[in-house]
Amino acid sequence: MIRKKSRREESLDHAELARLLPAPGDPHLSLDRHLVLEEHLMNEIRRTEPASMPSHRPARRVLLIGAPATAAALAGALWLTPLTTSGSSDTATPTPPPVEAPIVRIEPGSTAQLAATVERIAAAASVDDTHEPDPDQYIYVKSKVSYLTVSHTDTDRSKTLVQPPHIREVWLSPDGKQGWLEEPGYRSEGGVTLDSDTERDVNSPSYDYLKTLPTDPDALLKKIYEETEGRGNSPDQQAFTTVGDLLDEQLAPAKLNAALYRAAARIPGVVVVEHVKDAAGREGIALARVDQQSGDRTEWIFDRRTYAYLGSRAVQVKEANGIKPGTVLENTAVLERAVVDAQKQRPGAQGTAT
């Protein structure tokens, strides 16, 4: 074939570039080396990005380590999927090394007792005696948490790594404009600010915003679907996730809390799982839903006797991205929820935390 002269003036397409250039290398990074690169990149992001409110609760993110990649591709992957293991560069307490994720038996869910269970949960939520915070007070939540770090390493693709269970404490003003987060080993020494002037919505609510939401379950669910449109893996899964995000590190008015559970029961795919443990080892009953795209099941755990909210768990139920079924990707336990008079003050204590 004779190439026309005009072709020389055209840009080369991807196929021709691939033919002309040498094949990229196939580096195999150790987990330690990967974490060093990740920490460096995250430090650069923190140094250059404008100040904004850190998320109250880390989202699960999966990063596959060990796949062939150039250094540039690795940097791109880290940029797109920041992990939750990195502390800030001035963290005095070293970030604990990740541990192998626990494996549990997958108990099937059922809708047989869904309506009755939700009504018991809603009834318990409607009589919550946590008093409404005054404008100058703070909502305090202490939790024990463990989140996914990497789905598997290059040395052992059968292992999924998670953070070791540890303590998180948050303080949130009712209007959401002021706040504080302490998570030793994962945040800067002494904690980080959650101050923000961001306008509140159902995806990032404050207590004051939650007071404006309807307490009719159908109207509430309609609003959640409308405000989360286009987010998540599916409308139903995102609605379920949005309700769940309000349960761990926030305080909602009692009537709204009850409405949230009744609304969640109307989401297709929600089931009851009879035996689930939170991050503190407390066994309870759960409302759960499987994300059909990622293959993991999110479970909200409640005390079997009082139906009070205990925490949450995410378990892989379908193998995906090398993660085995039964792998616990995330586990939380709310240890204390209260209203306090000052930022960094703990319930029953005078003054502020140091």
Side-chain angles (χ1 to χ4, degrees), residues 285-303:
I285 191 169
L287 299 181
R289 191 181 192 283
V290 175
D291 185 328
Q292 297 299 330
Q293 183 168 324
S294 63
D296 66 283
R297 184 171 73 187
T298 300
E299 303 163 339
W300 308 336
I301 310 167
F302 302 87
D303 185 277

Side-chain angles (χ1 to χ4, degrees), residues 41-62:
L41 179 61
M42 295 309 294
N43 285 341
E44 289 299 305
I45 294 171
R46 283 189 292 268
R47 183 177 62 82
T48 58
E49 68 182 1
S52 61
M53 183 182 72
S55 61
H56 295 171
R57 180 171 177 262
R60 294 192 304 276
R61 297 177 175 89
V62 177

Side-chain angles (χ1 to χ4, degrees), residues 1-213:
M1 175 179 177
I2 300 174
R3 188 184 301 274
K4 296 180 180 179
K5 290 184 179 181
S6 59
R7 174 80 175 193
R8 296 181 182 274
E9 299 174 359
E10 298 172 3
S11 60
L12 297 177
D13 60 22
H14 290 157
E16 187 164 0
L17 283 174
R19 181 179 63 81
L20 295 175
L21 296 176
D26 184 16
H28 293 282
L29 297 178
S30 68
L31 177 59
D32 288 343
R33 178 58 179 160
H34 166 78
L35 293 177
V36 168
L37 290 173
E38 176 208 340
E39 177 66 15
H40 172 72
L41 179 61
M42 295 309 294
N43 285 341
E44 289 299 305
I45 294 171
R46 283 189 292 268
R47 183 177 62 82
T48 58
E49 68 182 1
S52 61
M53 183 182 72
S55 61
H56 295 171
R57 180 171 177 262
R60 294 192 304 276
R61 297 177 175 89
V62 177
L63 178 64
L64 306 180
I65 299 177
T70 64
L74 176 62
L78 285 170
W79 177 271
L80 292 173
T81 54
L83 304 183
T84 60
T85 54
S86 295
S88 298
S89 57
D90 57 349
T91 300
T93 305
T95 299
V99 298
E100 187 172 354
I103 305 292
V104 297
R105 183 181 73 86
I106 301 172
E107 180 177 332
S110 171
T111 59
Q113 297 297 318
L114 177 61
T117 300
V118 168
E119 281 308 308
R120 295 187 186 104
I121 292 170
S126 65
V127 295
D128 186 354
D129 59 359
T130 305
H131 79 269
E132 180 176 348
D134 294 330
D136 60 348
Q137 291 184 307
Y138 286 83
I139 298 159
Y140 169 81
V141 183
K142 178 180 181 180
S143 305
K144 189 174 188 179
V145 303
S146 171
Y147 296 110
L148 176 70
T149 58
V150 293
S151 65
H152 53 254
T153 71
D154 56 346
T155 56
D156 189 345
R157 298 180 67 84
S158 68
K159 290 184 178 181
T160 297
L161 303 180
V162 297
Q163 299 169 344
H166 60 278
I167 298 297
R168 274 172 62 97
E169 295 176 284
V170 297
W171 290 261
L172 303 170
S173 64
D175 63 6
K177 293 183 177 181
Q178 293 179 301
W180 195 258
L181 167 64
E182 292 193 7
E183 193 174 9
Y186 298 90
R187 303 289 175 176
S188 300
E189 182 179 12
V192 294
T193 182
L194 298 180
D195 291 358
S196 174
D197 290 325
T198 302
E199 184 177 352
R200 297 299 162 179
D201 58 25
V202 74
N203 297 294
S204 180
S206 65
Y207 182 85
D208 289 349
Y209 173 82
L210 293 175
K211 290 195 300 182
T212 70
L213 294 179

